[in-house]
Amino acid sequence: MGYLRRIQYNCKQATFLIEKKMIRPLTFRELIELRIHLAGCSVCVLYSKQSRIINKMVQQLFYSTMPGEIKLDDSFKKELQDRIEEELNKN
Amino acid sequence: MSAESYLLNPHQWVYAHADYLFAYAIRRISNEEQAKDLVQETFLAALEKADRFEGKSSERTWLTAILKNKIIDVYRKKSSGLNRDVQEAEHEQQDFFEADGHWTPTHRPLEFGIEDVDHIVNKEFNDILQRCLQKLPALWMSVFTMKHIDDEDTAIICAELKVSPSNFWVIIHRSKLNLRACLQKNWR
């Protein structure tokens, strides 16, 4: 298989480069390879789109502080503050 | 000391920060008991080093940094040893691609309803997303969140989690492959 064919077929490598690109700039060669691949592969174009959206959704999940959704129970909190006071009184 | 420097008020710690720290921990380690323990350990460790607090960052930022280190310790412990979870996760994606790297017909990405720019995220989707994240091996989850959530420097992540730079990229890639596949499978 020729060099070009190898790039065109290799979705595994293309998705690897897609992930890398979201974190740091690709080398010139990597960038060309990815462009060549994406020009002929609509599945990886879709992957790339989904991957970016998934990142946004994960960020949104982590940063959405929906009030009241994740909370400690009051008895645990009271014990915890008592414990802190106890430590403070030691000094 | 500048007038703008921050002060600590341990008498208000639980009231002011416990829920925040708990939410921070539980999203990263998905274990309620362990998350509670970490919150407690964070406060106690903070008391011990309160005299070294310089007031350059807010109380919450400072406490979160302490918690973050504790979470990294958990990740490290979880990912030392046999790493069965990594083997399982790798196994899961072994037939995503053909030998030449082409998507297999059964695993190629399809539109599954998140592609809309205006997609409104709802609780149901978040639950599935959370579950898919939890299925990632502990090491992958930590690499993924430290990079994509905390925007930590790659070299720092590699050093703290003891992964080589090449393995870092492999993990970033594999985490996303599994996460995307899990969402496609469960969100229809």
Side-chain angles (χ1 to χ4, degrees):
Chain A
M1 222 181 348
Y3 174 63
L4 206 59
R5 283 292 292 278
R6 262 203 315 271
I7 294 171
Q8 284 168 333
Y9 270 82
N10 203 337
C11 301
K12 191 174 181 180
Q13 174 67 4
T15 52
F16 178 81
L17 293 177
I18 288 166
E19 294 306 326
K20 208 171 188 177
K21 189 165 176 265
M22 285 200 274
I23 291 172
R24 71 155 177 72
L26 297 179
T27 64
F28 183 70
R29 189 197 173 98
E30 287 173 333
L31 199 60
I32 297 297
E33 283 190 14
L34 183 57
R35 290 242 173 100
I36 291 171
H37 184 90
L38 291 179
C41 182
S42 59
V43 180
C44 285
V45 171
L46 175 63
Y47 173 94
S48 172
K49 186 178 182 185
Q50 290 176 337
S51 185
R52 257 179 293 123
I53 292 168
I54 290 168
N55 275 11
K56 267 192 217 150
M57 287 173 157
V58 175
Q59 281 160 7
Q60 166 272 125
L61 176 75
F62 273 69
Y63 286 121
S64 68
T65 34
M66 287 176 217
E69 211 193 8
I70 301 176
K71 269 195 174 170
L72 285 163
D73 54 276
D74 290 339
S75 63
F76 180 81
K77 282 190 195 169
K78 189 179 175 312
E79 276 172 39
L80 197 51
Q81 190 60 52
D82 289 349
R83 180 78 204 276
I84 291 170
E85 299 298 333
E86 198 181 295
E87 290 293 321
L88 286 170
N89 288 333
K90 277 187 193 168
N91 307 318
Chain B
M1 212 159 84
S2 94
E4 281 177 77
S5 73
Y6 294 96
L7 297 171
L8 297 179
N9 182 7
H11 299 293
Q12 291 291 316
W13 275 358
V14 171
Y15 172 75
H17 309 297
D19 284 330
Y20 173 84
L21 294 174
F22 179 61
Y24 187 97
I26 206 163
R27 288 204 170 102
R28 284 163 175 81
I29 57 171
S30 344
N31 178 317
E32 202 182 317
E33 281 311 306
Q34 209 170 16
K36 277 181 169 179
D37 288 346
L38 288 182
V39 173
Q40 170 156 335
E41 285 171 28
T42 297
F43 286 135
L44 296 179
L47 283 177
E48 270 177 36
K49 49 178 132 185
D51 53 335
R52 275 173 279 156
F53 178 73
E54 290 176 328
K56 285 180 186 158
S57 56
S58 74
E59 191 177 61
R60 176 171 285 189
T61 305
W62 184 69
L63 289 167
T64 307
I66 296 171
L67 173 62
K68 211 162 152 180
N69 281 320
K70 297 204 169 289
I71 291 173
I72 288 172
D73 285 343
V74 172
Y75 285 150
R76 272 206 204 124
K77 261 180 223 153
K78 271 192 191 169
S79 58
S80 64
L82 268 176
N83 271 337
R84 280 207 84 107
D85 57 349
V86 172
Q87 286 167 17
E88 273 165 34
E90 285 175 353
H91 180 77
E92 210 175 296
Q93 57 183 245
Q94 68 179 2
D95 46 35
F96 283 11
F97 300 101
E98 312 276 9
D100 61 4
H102 210 263
W103 290 104
T104 55
T106 40
H107 289 89
R108 76 164 53 116
L110 302 168
E111 294 211 358
F112 61 96
I114 61 161
E115 296 78 12
D116 245 346
V117 201
D118 299 325
H119 179 79
I120 297 162
V121 188
N122 59 26
K123 192 179 174 303
E124 209 186 338
F125 182 84
N126 273 347
D127 287 347
I128 290 170
L129 181 56
Q130 182 92 55
R131 255 188 288 137
C132 289
L133 280 167
Q134 281 168 19
K135 277 176 67 185
L136 295 177
L139 179 66
W140 295 11
M141 174 72 170
S142 49
V143 170
F144 188 87
T145 54
M146 283 175 84
K147 190 73 232 178
H148 289 303
I149 305 299
D150 304 327
D151 198 21
E152 203 76 73
D153 191 73
T154 301
I156 291 174
I157 299 174
C158 289
E160 290 193 332
L161 297 174
K162 298 192 173 71
V163 298
S164 68
S166 65
N167 200 20
F168 170 84
W169 295 110
V170 170
I171 291 172
I172 285 287
H173 182 216
R174 294 199 146 157
S175 307
K176 187 60 73 59
L177 286 177
N178 270 18
L179 185 55
R180 200 211 64 82
C182 178
L183 290 169
Q184 176 167 312
K185 194 171 151 197
N186 293 291
W187 181 254
R188 283 292 199 153

